[in-house]
Amino acid sequence: MGGEGGTEEELTAQETALYDRQIRVWGVDAQKRLSKAHVLVCGVNGTTIEFCKNIVLAGVGSLSLMDDHIVTEDDLSANFLIPHDVCMQGVSSRAEACCESLKDFNPMVRVAVAIGDPSLIDEGFVDRFDIIVVSCASLKTKLFINDNCRKRSKHIAFYSVECKDSCGEIFVDLQNHSYLQKKPGGEPEQQELTYASLQEAISVPWRNLPRKTTKLYYAMRVLESYELSEGREPGETTFCDLPAVLAQRKDMCDRMSLSESQIPTALLERLLAAGKKEHPPVCAILGGILGQLCTWFLDLTGGD
């Protein structure tokens, strides 16, 4: 992974001792791939910091944090790594405030701050990473980064994650992905997985989605569409925007041939009232799931 020569390098004695328990679970080869993986997180909040904690403890090769927003008091509610005194100073970015604490979790992992705007990162910068996670970014920015990942000859996994109050969602794009799976008899068999891009996924007509699609999915798309049309950042839409959001819901449901009852007004009110607030227990769940998904991806790639 990361253009550093596959999994030939052996783990050091220090790494083997530190990661002994997880090596017993997923094997030494998976640990080698993890130790060579380079991860970029765009958007530091309660959910992504839980993910960062998990992969740093697991022994990822390097982690870069990109979030130039200055820490505010609102960040303290879900991001357990931001010290209160840092918030009072009002001079540190979210990425800077969390960087040193993450290093303390595992000194063997390289953790750094990546200065810049996620909506402007170029393809050369993207090439440095094996996994990119995006959160608290506009749909336009997510589409831009996902598209850049897909344009590269290198296989870059893209994830987006969002948490609003006690609601959350994760999107995964591993592109075209092949891996070996052991058959019952013990012989390996090649498997193929094809993932949709973010643009392809949100472009699927609602009437073609499975009947079990959650109401939250539709509600998040309505808010996303409204924010995009108004040029708003995620969470900047408030309860005062409810009439306009309801109009957006009607327009989208009419175009998608979906009953408005599938997107309850009460659910939209709840999401609007949440704003940028995250529910810490949900952050921990989403961060844990996302960490497992990324580890699974690295395990399946086999060092491609």
Side-chain angles (χ1 to χ4, degrees):
M1 305 293 296
E4 295 188 12
T7 61
E8 287 78 8
E9 281 187 41
E10 295 298 321
L11 297 173
T12 65
Q14 186 179 5
E15 288 174 320
T16 302
L18 180 61
Y19 306 129
D20 176 67
R21 288 188 179 182
Q22 58 205 49
I23 289 174
R24 293 172 186 268
V25 174
W26 56 51
V28 68
D29 286 340
Q31 189 63 44
K32 288 179 187 178
R33 289 191 285 273
L34 181 62
S35 69
K36 291 175 175 59
H38 305 290
V39 179
L40 170 66
V41 172
C42 299
V44 177
N45 54 22
T47 303
T48 55
I49 214 63
E50 288 282 357
F51 162 73
C52 291
K53 174 201 69 177
N54 292 334
I55 62 168
V56 165
L57 288 173
V60 71
S62 72
L63 171 66
S64 297
L65 306 175
M66 180 178 282
D67 193 327
D68 294 343
H69 292 88
I70 299 299
V71 171
T72 66
E73 193 168 348
D74 289 341
D75 294 314
L76 299 178
S77 62
N79 192 330
F80 67 93
L81 280 188
I82 298 179
H84 188 268
D85 60 337
V86 170
C87 173
M88 299 301 292
Q89 294 168 7
V91 295
S92 295
S93 70
R94 294 171 186 161
E96 292 169 335
C98 298
C99 184
E100 293 304 316
S101 296
L102 283 169
K103 290 179 181 178
D104 291 339
F105 277 111
N106 188 347
M108 297 183 70
V109 174
R110 301 184 299 279
V111 183
V113 173
I115 304 297
D117 183 344
S119 66
L120 300 175
I121 60 178
D122 58 34
E123 296 173 357
F125 181 76
V126 167
D127 264 341
R128 302 181 193 175
F129 304 97
D130 303 294
I131 293 173
I132 296 181
V133 176
V134 183
S135 187
C136 47
S138 67
L139 175 60
K140 183 179 179 181
T141 296
K142 291 177 182 177
L143 291 170
F144 169 73
I145 296 175
N146 184 215
D147 186 53
N148 271 346
C149 290
R150 283 185 154 251
K151 286 180 178 177
R152 312 314 295 157
S153 58
K154 174 184 174 183
H155 192 177
I156 304 173
F158 172 88
Y159 301 83
S160 71
V161 59
E162 296 298 340
C163 178
K164 284 182 174 291
D165 191 45
S166 59
C167 302
E169 67 175 8
I170 297 173
F171 172 80
V172 180
D173 179 14
L174 305 185
Q175 304 177 42
N176 295 319
H177 187 57
S178 61
Y179 64 97
L180 294 178
Q181 186 176 53
K182 286 186 178 180
K183 297 167 64 176
E187 292 295 321
E189 182 178 60
Q190 184 158 312
Q191 302 288 330
E192 299 290 337
L193 291 174
T194 300
Y195 286 76
S197 68
L198 180 57
Q199 181 65 70
E200 291 168 339
I202 63 175
S203 298
V204 174
W206 288 355
R207 61 181 176 274
N208 294 344
L209 292 173
R211 294 184 62 184
K212 292 184 178 180
T213 300
T214 66
K215 295 178 179 180
L216 177 63
Y217 172 81
Y218 299 121
M220 293 289 275
R221 302 292 75 75
V222 169
L223 289 183
E224 207 170 55
S225 179
Y226 179 74
E227 290 169 347
L228 185 63
S229 65
E230 296 294 315
R232 307 265 185 95
E233 290 297 313
E236 289 183 353
T237 304
T238 68
F239 198 81
C240 297
D241 296 296
L242 181 61
V245 171
L246 293 179
Q248 183 79 18
R249 176 187 67 178
K250 182 179 187 311
D251 177 64
M252 294 182 73
C253 285
D254 288 346
R255 286 189 288 109
M256 297 285 190
S257 302
L258 184 77
S259 170
E260 289 186 60
S261 64
Q262 290 297 309
I263 314 175
T265 300
L267 177 55
L268 290 172
E269 290 175 342
R270 179 180 170 188
L271 295 175
L272 287 172
K276 297 181 180 180
K277 292 180 181 177
E278 301 169 283
H279 195 43
V282 179
C283 293
I285 294 170
L286 290 171
I289 293 172
L290 187 56
Q292 289 179 333
L293 288 172
C294 290
T295 303
W296 177 76
F297 163 72
L298 293 171
D299 188 26
L300 293 183
T301 52
D304 64 353

